[in-house]
Amino acid sequence: VPLPDDIFLKKMIILMKPRVEKINDFYYSCKYFYSDPESYDAKGISKHWNEKIKPVFNEYFEELKNGPPEIDTNKTESTLRTFCEKKNIKPGELIHIIRIILTGSIASPGIFELMETLGKDTIVRRIEKFLDIN
């Protein structure tokens, strides 16, 4: 596994600082910054990955994948919210499933900040992996 650069580490620390108490907590709480989830929260999947959201999510993913190469927190949030408005769904319907796909968990730092930190290649890889098995 390649070592992260200083910019990545700084972003990760800023996002996780409110969520950890000891330096060792970073090891357990930050795994999804370094490796793809090995599993996904079962309750979260059953609640948020349903027949209504699947086609909408796939359409959003295509827009994300074909969009700009860089993920920017504000632009990504604005794009998602505009997309949801057009599809007449609540942003949370996409945000919850994106969080589970990217982290394996129902809890994480702000999803748009997390997406910027992870970067587009990681996001696309993790979503494609999830879609392949779901």
Side-chain angles (χ1 to χ4, degrees), residues 24-124:
N24 291 344
D25 293 342
F26 277 97
Y27 175 77
Y28 297 105
S29 300
C30 298
K31 287 184 179 182
Y32 53 79
F33 283 97
Y34 300 103
S35 61
D36 296 354
E38 295 173 12
S39 63
Y40 305 97
D41 183 275
K43 286 183 182 178
I45 291 292
S46 68
K47 182 176 181 180
H48 300 292
W49 188 241
N50 54 56
E51 294 308 313
K52 175 189 172 194
I53 203 64
K54 287 178 184 181
V56 178
F57 179 84
N58 286 325
E59 193 175 332
Y60 171 74
F61 176 53
E62 285 303 313
E63 283 191 21
L64 178 70
K65 190 166 54 170
N66 295 319
E70 296 298 319
I71 299 292
D72 170 87
T73 298
N74 295 325
K75 288 179 186 174
T76 303
E77 180 175 5
S78 175
T79 300
L80 181 135
R81 291 186 185 283
T82 300
F83 177 86
C84 289
E85 196 174 297
K86 283 190 240 175
K87 296 298 175 183
N88 201 27
I89 64 168
K90 294 178 183 174
E93 293 183 71
L94 287 181
I95 290 170
H96 292 303
I97 196 64
I98 292 169
R99 176 174 284 115
I100 294 168
I101 292 170
L102 297 182
T103 69
S105 175
I106 57 171
S108 76
I111 193 62
F112 302 108
E113 293 83 358
L114 177 66
M115 291 172 78
E116 181 178 316
T117 302
L118 291 175
K120 187 169 181 178
D121 292 342
T122 297
I123 293 167
V124 169

